[in-house]
Amino acid sequence: MKRLGGSEDGYHSDMVETESVGSDRVAYSGPLSGPLNRKGGKKSARFNIPESTIAGTSAADDDAYVEITLDVRDDSVAVHSVKAAAGGEIEDPEVTLLARTLEKKSSSLGSSVIRSASSRFRQVSQELKRLASLTKRTGPGRIDRSKSAAAHALKGLKFITKTAGGAAGWPAVEKRFDELAVDGKLSRPLFGQCIGMKDSKEFAGELFDALARRRNIVGDSITKAELWEFWEQISDQSFDSRLQTFFDMVDKNADGRITEEEVKEIITLSASANKLSVIQDQAEEYARMIMEELDPSNLGYIEIYNLETLLLQAPNQSVRVGTTNSRNLSQLLSQKLKPTLEPNPLRRYYQSVKYFVQDNWKRIWVISLWLTICAALFAWKFVQYRRRAVYHVMGYCVCAAKGAAETLKFNMAIILLPVCRNTITWLRNKTKLGGVVPFDDNLNFHKVIAVAIVLGVGTHAITHLTCDFPRLLHASDEAYVPMKPYFGDTRPNNYWWFVKGTEGWTGIVMVVLMAIAFTLATPWFRRGRLSLPGPLKRLTGFNAFWYSHHLFVVVYILLIIHGIFLYLSKDWYHKTTWMYLAVPVILYGTERLIRLFRSSIRAVKILKIAVYPGNVLALHVSKPQGFRYRSGQYIFVNCAAVSPFEWHPFSITSAPQDDYVSVHIRTLGDWTRQLKVVFSEVCQRPTDGKSGLLRAEYDDMDDRSPNQSLPKVLIDGPYGAPAQDYKKYDVVLLVGLGIGATPFISVVKDIVNNMKMVEAEGVADDIEAGQNVSSGRTFRTRRAYFYWVTREQGSFEWFRGVMNEVAETDKKGVIELHNYCTSVYEEGDARSALIAMLQSLNHAKNGVDVVSGTRVKSHFARPNWRNVFKRIALNHRGQRIGVFYCGAATLTKELRQLSQDFSHRTNTKFDFHKENF
């Protein structure tokens, strides 16, 4: 049942209902299905409708309702009228259709009872009768039918959802039956695949058994007719039917009672379906907790209404939303906020161009300047050779080849600048260039220049080999005379003459080396996406990329040699290759020397090692003297025990105020896998309830035997990253995907530390006016939304301490934490219903979430990012929001598009920053 004027995701506006029995009217707050007794009477329910959907009602009017008058009897529900209480017409399509249908039938039948006016009200009737009977049965201890509880109940226990192929319906199920059935019968192991639960075979098997028991079907196979009966029941939208089906799954002996052992079995089954290994291991403990809650009399069993109690008492998961915003929030969530299509194609094109320029103006001017320089260099060299004598022999080919060579010199010089990390970090931290230069795109610019180099090499080499060299080889003796100062008195007679010369072999070797480096740097090779046989596997992975990229040292040496031994330029001041390269090469070489020197003198001592679920290694080291960094930055880590030459970047997870530096390293490649192996050998099992599968503390180091000595670790940095700019915004949205949460853990800890500092100094009563006294600077960020999306339950172990600290420290609601576990089926799916019950019960009793193991309640499946942006846009109208994303590139496009849509559609501006790995 869908509430009129409400939203389906838990953000609902204030709703007031009144109930009358006989002549007495009793105020009641809750959904339409409130507690009613068995006596007949007229009921009047008033539902709040968003102001924008009621014509003739001002936006400031908070008392707009649609009023539905019902006549409830023992066996029927009658609808007398549906109208807007404020006198306005209802413009919501669903409400309008419902109102017109009911009023039409009402007018045709007079004021008599309208039975089963629509499919929706038939469900309402069933629900009202069920609640009335339940009230009579349970007596004084009746179930709380509050608004949030009923909403949660009506959304829960769905066996057919999007993830279970519910959108396809029976035709798709029937088609799969025809494909899977043998001799006209479907076997139990294939039942899950047939109904769309391919990934939950165990759960589907238990569902099959429950449905078969209810129909006294013996055996492990069913016919198409029996499958239709099964499908009809599991797709039934009635809450009673869904509850009964779920109860039958738990009640395996069909005696109408559920024992603790049966509860344990269904917990294990649900945990297995949702890949929650921790809950599987603690199934016995959670079963005991459920029995203690629902069986206080120690009868040894619970019945169906006890299970219903647990479901209805599970509060709906929601975020902290002020009551003053609830009505506006309901309005905003009901809007799509998608730009309407401009009918005029010229205006539409103008708008798209305008928005593109607004969102990318920093990139546009940098790329435009670079392209202008490249074009100018090409044109200058082209015209220069057009006026020389060689043009009469080699033609426009030599002009194009030399023009491309000039752009190559320039691009080979500036391609080093985006990877001068110390310089870029200094510029973004110490200057105001960050306001006009997109430093976050340094690696993207590096890749764009690499593509330009490929084009330049192709143009230069192809025009030489296929055009001007053949023209020279076939030139007449008279035409060759002007060429003698450049190619000698004897005219070259074949290609080998060009290849064996210094210009030729250096050019060929450079092309080969650059082709190797460029190929192994592509995502297919660098991320190991290609499946190569045997020894060729070494060509994939980060190591191959790392070492092949260092071939650039040889390339630059050969480039300088190639630029000195030119055919057509003999004067030293015309040999400009070294002039282009001098400054960038010296700058880059200096940076590498600084990194080497800095990492060698900044000795670090390992303080803690922990190996967590999900193949994550946490490394805590001492903070070197003078080592200062900002939250969101990263460092390079070197471990000689793995490779003395390789340095790998990792985001810093500690806060600047901490007396240590920490990184969390996930084993995604060959180097990280070997690093985990090296440290796992010296780690021990955790004790005293500490997290981490394996760990080693500094206190234990002195007692270690020589063969357990820790590997030496060097760090270099810090270096600038997009997340460090969060302090420029009063409000930030932090989105971490998997291990991409690491930079935002540092940001969250930094905000918490600043809150503590503000409270300790007593400077301000609220962080919104907070002044960091110790540093003498204003701490701008006063609101943070952190969304962490991860696939594995064990991932929450990585930052459990931080989550708990934020939950305990943040009394003013500055930081809003949202943990999403995507292995758990979405809210409402029967496969996750019991997990939701356990979650709410355990959090209420112990204050700990069963999924994450923290004080922060976890959400199921993936976030609805559009609704996330809608809510933030509402809460912070007219403000600029910093959106920071770190993780795989899969989510980048969606978040960037949403940031642009809401920036263009609302008066809230979203600045998107991303960091992919």
Side-chain angles (χ1 to χ4, degrees), residues 651-810:
S651 298
I652 302 174
T653 53
S654 54
Q657 299 88 344
D658 295 334
D659 56 0
Y660 62 88
V661 179
S662 67
V663 292
H664 285 65
I665 303 170
R666 187 164 194 175
T667 55
L668 296 174
D670 38 18
W671 186 88
T672 52
R673 277 194 294 268
Q674 185 60 32
L675 184 73
K676 179 192 171 186
V677 171
V678 168
F679 279 103
S680 296
E681 293 175 354
V682 297
C683 288
Q684 300 174 349
R685 291 287 174 183
T687 57
D688 302 328
K690 294 181 179 179
S691 60
L693 293 180
L694 301 166
R695 65 188 298 118
E697 300 285 353
Y698 173 71
D699 296 338
D700 302 329
M701 302 302 179
D702 297 336
D703 299 331
R704 293 184 177 276
S705 58
N707 60 348
Q708 287 183 308
S709 59
L710 291 172
K712 184 180 179 181
V713 170
L714 301 177
I715 65 172
D716 175 55
Y719 294 103
Q724 77 173 63
D725 294 331
Y726 83 95
K727 291 183 179 180
K728 297 179 180 179
Y729 301 93
D730 295 334
V731 182
V732 293
L733 170 60
L734 313 173
V735 180
L737 191 61
I739 197 63
T742 48
F744 306 131
I745 292 298
S746 177
V747 170
V748 168
K749 292 175 69 175
D750 192 29
I751 296 174
V752 170
N753 290 336
N754 276 274
M755 287 193 300
K756 290 180 180 178
M757 193 175 301
V758 169
E759 294 176 359
E761 297 290 343
V763 176
D765 188 53
D766 195 340
I767 188 128
E768 295 187 12
Q771 175 77 17
N772 192 327
V773 177
S774 300
S775 62
R777 59 176 175 80
T778 303
F779 188 75
R780 286 188 59 178
T781 307
R782 64 177 187 268
R783 194 80 166 99
Y785 300 87
F786 178 33
Y787 285 79
W788 183 17
V789 184
T790 183
R791 185 188 304 112
E792 301 167 351
Q793 181 188 14
S795 304
F796 295 113
E797 284 283 336
W798 307 343
F799 310 116
R800 186 172 65 180
V802 178
M803 297 291 176
N804 288 335
E805 182 182 7
V806 173
E808 294 171 0
T809 305
D810 186 18

Side-chain angles (χ1 to χ4, degrees), residues 506-762:
T506 53
I508 293 173
V509 173
M510 280 192 296
V511 170
V512 171
L513 294 181
M514 285 193 290
I516 294 172
F518 186 88
T519 301
L520 298 183
T522 57
W524 300 281
F525 283 89
R526 182 165 55 90
R527 297 186 180 275
R529 294 175 182 173
L530 293 179
S531 180
L532 299 178
L536 294 180
K537 286 186 177 180
R538 291 183 174 272
L539 296 178
T540 63
F542 189 85
N543 279 353
F545 158 76
W546 176 264
Y547 289 110
S548 66
H549 237 57
H550 282 76
L551 293 173
F552 80 92
V553 177
V554 181
V555 170
Y556 276 94
I557 293 174
L558 294 176
L559 181 60
I560 293 175
I561 296 174
H562 186 82
I564 293 174
F565 293 89
L566 294 177
Y567 292 119
L568 301 175
S569 297
K570 301 302 181 181
D571 299 326
W572 70 270
Y573 51 85
H574 287 153
K575 301 175 181 181
T576 57
T577 303
W578 66 271
M579 300 179 188
Y580 279 99
L581 299 180
V583 174
V585 168
I586 292 174
L587 179 62
Y588 183 80
T590 303
E591 286 226 353
R592 294 300 293 261
L593 290 175
I594 290 175
R595 289 176 56 181
L596 179 64
F597 180 71
R598 184 171 55 191
S599 62
S600 61
I601 65 171
R602 284 182 171 179
V604 295
K605 179 181 290 185
I606 296 178
L607 303 180
K608 187 178 76 171
I609 310 160
V611 181
Y612 291 103
N615 292 323
V616 168
L617 171 71
L619 184 63
H620 293 228
V621 300
S622 59
K623 182 184 291 186
Q625 185 176 3
F627 186 85
R628 295 182 178 85
Y629 63 94
R630 299 182 182 184
S631 292
Q633 292 184 331
Y634 67 94
I635 59 174
F636 278 85
V637 177
N638 171 272
C639 181
V642 178
S643 173
F645 306 109
E646 294 184 44
W647 292 81
H648 293 261
F650 300 99
S651 298
I652 302 174
T653 53
S654 54
Q657 299 88 344
D658 295 334
D659 56 0
Y660 62 88
V661 179
S662 67
V663 292
H664 285 65
I665 303 170
R666 187 164 194 175
T667 55
L668 296 174
D670 38 18
W671 186 88
T672 52
R673 277 194 294 268
Q674 185 60 32
L675 184 73
K676 179 192 171 186
V677 171
V678 168
F679 279 103
S680 296
E681 293 175 354
V682 297
C683 288
Q684 300 174 349
R685 291 287 174 183
T687 57
D688 302 328
K690 294 181 179 179
S691 60
L693 293 180
L694 301 166
R695 65 188 298 118
E697 300 285 353
Y698 173 71
D699 296 338
D700 302 329
M701 302 302 179
D702 297 336
D703 299 331
R704 293 184 177 276
S705 58
N707 60 348
Q708 287 183 308
S709 59
L710 291 172
K712 184 180 179 181
V713 170
L714 301 177
I715 65 172
D716 175 55
Y719 294 103
Q724 77 173 63
D725 294 331
Y726 83 95
K727 291 183 179 180
K728 297 179 180 179
Y729 301 93
D730 295 334
V731 182
V732 293
L733 170 60
L734 313 173
V735 180
L737 191 61
I739 197 63
T742 48
F744 306 131
I745 292 298
S746 177
V747 170
V748 168
K749 292 175 69 175
D750 192 29
I751 296 174
V752 170
N753 290 336
N754 276 274
M755 287 193 300
K756 290 180 180 178
M757 193 175 301
V758 169
E759 294 176 359
E761 297 290 343

Side-chain angles (χ1 to χ4, degrees), residues 16-70:
V16 178
E17 293 184 329
T18 59
E19 171 190 326
S20 63
V21 180
S23 59
D24 299 328
R25 295 181 64 84
V26 182
Y28 172 69
S29 175
L32 180 60
S33 52
L36 304 172
N37 59 24
R38 303 285 292 182
K39 297 181 180 180
K42 185 178 294 185
K43 278 65 179 180
S44 176
R46 305 183 78 197
F47 293 81
N48 179 259
I49 299 296
E51 295 87 351
S52 61
T53 63
I54 301 179
T57 305
S58 66
D61 186 7
D62 291 344
D63 296 321
Y65 296 93
V66 56
E67 186 172 349
I68 304 176
T69 305
L70 306 177

